[in-house]
Amino acid sequence: MSKEKILSILRQNPEDFTSGEAISKELGISRAAVSKSVNVLRQDGYEIEAITRRGYRLIAGPDLLTKGEIIPWLRVEHIAAKLECFESIDSTNNYLKRNAMQTPSGTAVIANEQTGGRGRLGRSFQSPPDSGIYMSVLVRPNLPPVQALNLTAFVAVAVCEGIEAATGLRPEIKWTNDIVLNRRKICGILTEMSIEGESGALQHIITGIGINVNQRETDFPEDIREIAGSIAMAAGKPISRGRLAAEILNALDRMYTAWLNGGEDYLERYRSRCLTVGKQVRLIRADGSTQPAEAIAVADDFGLVVRHPDGREETVTSGEVSVRGLWGYVD
């Protein structure tokens, strides 16, 4: 943990040197321990300048998804206390499900790579190393399960706002769980609930978020190259994954408080980003049948109001249908 704390201290004074003595006093460790931790940081890829009688200065660092890269950007300490980071994992959702009984509410898990990433309806989600952010958060709201069905929509708003805070870009939402930039999918959200069999009580909710951050177009398989994208492709430059992950966690923390207290204006914020409304779509029913329709509004419960060719209107939920766009972006 010393190296993460030292990295945080050096980030607080990026233009100035911080003496080894000041670091040792602040952390309550020896000067030798400070020197050892600095050497470990250098082995991790950080460029740290050291000058006798002046101290240490951080020059540059690698794009890592570690606590040392994420925590300095977090605005609330309770997130940092429950943050777990992995270099590689099968699935952040699966990890939290396996450990749900002993996992505190609000725990966030972030991985540099997933070997078994999943999307909705059992689809695989590509999770290559060193380019994306793969995170899951477990919460235990004291609510009936039916009242928790709109959480994915709230998460979608929070993810968009976190991306905007970190990059200045304004993502949009394809109803109900895909995040889009420049008509390309950059993020998918998967929410899973655990309900007690006898009482029907909600035990916990795990929300998984997979984000394409620094991929290039050629990093995607040819069959999805025209529809998949990354934040870096939209920004035209590499993105710091540590800061981005932190800003999303900050936004999720604000969102969760609002969600528990009635939702504030998140419905209107969702509507303002929903690119599906006003578009021709194809409804894909659970039995595989498809129907053309026009998406005309997002309902108050976050359902999608569609108009069929015969003029009949219907409000559908994500549990009933999937929506595929006919305007260029598809899922």
Side-chain angles (χ1 to χ4, degrees):
M1 181 58 72
S2 293
K3 70 173 184 178
E4 282 83 9
K5 292 180 178 178
I6 290 173
L7 184 59
S8 181
I9 291 171
L10 295 179
R11 286 195 181 282
Q12 293 171 14
N13 303 287
E15 304 299 325
D16 300 320
F17 286 85
T18 303
S19 71
E21 182 179 1
I23 295 172
S24 67
K25 287 182 178 179
E26 181 171 344
L27 299 183
I29 60 177
S30 67
R31 291 284 298 275
V34 172
S35 178
K36 181 178 179 180
S37 294
V38 167
N39 287 333
V40 172
L41 286 169
R42 285 170 172 159
Q43 293 170 10
D44 289 342
Y46 291 93
E47 184 181 350
I48 299 175
E49 183 179 9
I51 297 181
T52 303
R53 289 191 293 276
R54 295 190 67 184
Y56 302 100
R57 182 163 68 101
L58 179 65
I59 304 299
D63 181 40
L64 302 176
L65 278 178
T66 61
K67 289 186 178 182
E69 287 295 311
I70 297 171
I71 288 175
W73 300 99
L74 292 176
R75 297 192 179 93
V76 284
E77 291 184 1
H78 69 84
I79 299 178
K82 299 177 182 179
L83 177 63
E84 299 183 44
C85 296
F86 293 89
E87 177 62 24
S88 182
I89 200 171
D90 59 340
S91 160
T92 53
N93 266 33
N94 286 349
Y95 173 82
L96 283 175
K97 285 196 290 186
R98 288 193 298 267
N99 297 280
M101 293 295 292
Q102 64 265 34
T103 298
S105 182
T107 296
V109 175
I110 297 180
N112 180 57
E113 175 191 27
Q114 291 185 132
T115 58
R118 296 180 294 110
R120 289 184 68 241
L121 305 177
R123 301 183 182 119
S124 63
F125 185 89
Q126 290 193 6
S127 313
D130 307 324
S131 56
I133 295 174
Y134 317 108
M135 70 165 67
S136 296
V137 180
L138 182 147
V139 292
R140 301 183 189 279
N142 185 21
L143 296 171
V146 68
Q147 292 187 25
L149 294 177
N150 63 5
L151 180 59
T152 297
F154 278 74
V155 170
V157 173
V159 171
C160 286
E161 293 180 349
I163 292 172
E164 190 165 0
T167 69
L169 301 172
R170 181 178 169 80
E172 296 176 289
I173 302 168
K174 171 186 169 287
W175 184 87
T176 181
N177 68 318
D178 288 341
I179 310 301
V180 177
L181 265 176
N182 293 351
R183 301 173 72 89
R184 293 173 181 257
K185 177 179 175 178
I186 61 162
C187 171
I189 300 167
L190 174 65
T191 300
E192 299 180 288
M193 296 185 188
S194 177
I195 299 173
E196 188 175 72
E198 293 185 2
S199 67
L202 178 61
Q203 295 179 309
H204 64 258
I205 305 174
I206 298 172
T207 299
I209 303 163
I211 309 170
N212 299 332
V213 183
N214 285 323
Q215 287 93 334
R216 301 162 297 179
E217 184 172 347
T218 54
D219 292 330
F220 298 105
E222 290 189 11
D223 60 332
I224 63 170
R225 196 167 289 173
E226 293 185 0
I227 60 175
S230 70
I231 299 175
M233 287 169 58
K237 62 180 180 180
I239 302 297
S240 166
R241 291 185 298 154
R243 180 185 176 186
L244 176 58
E247 293 292 1
I248 291 172
L249 289 173
N250 290 331
L252 288 171
D253 184 67
R254 295 191 299 270
M255 175 278 297
Y256 187 63
T257 299
W259 182 68
L260 290 176
N261 290 282
E264 294 182 356
D265 60 346
Y266 274 79
L267 174 60
E268 293 308 315
R269 285 147 80 171
Y270 184 95
R271 285 170 170 162
S272 73
R273 292 183 186 267
C274 185
L275 60 77
T276 309
V277 173
K279 303 294 195 304
Q280 296 298 314
V281 299
R282 188 172 300 280
L283 308 180
I284 306 174
R285 304 284 179 177
D287 62 4
S289 63
T290 64
Q291 296 172 293
E294 179 188 5
I296 59 175
V298 174
D300 290 349
D301 63 355
F302 292 92
L304 185 67
V305 183
V306 300
R307 181 182 293 120
H308 294 278
D310 61 5
R312 178 175 55 91
E313 293 184 4
E314 178 187 10
T315 300
V316 298
T317 70
S318 59
E320 297 172 327
V321 302
S322 294
V323 168
R324 180 162 294 172
L326 303 182
W327 62 93
Y329 169 79
V330 295
D331 62 359

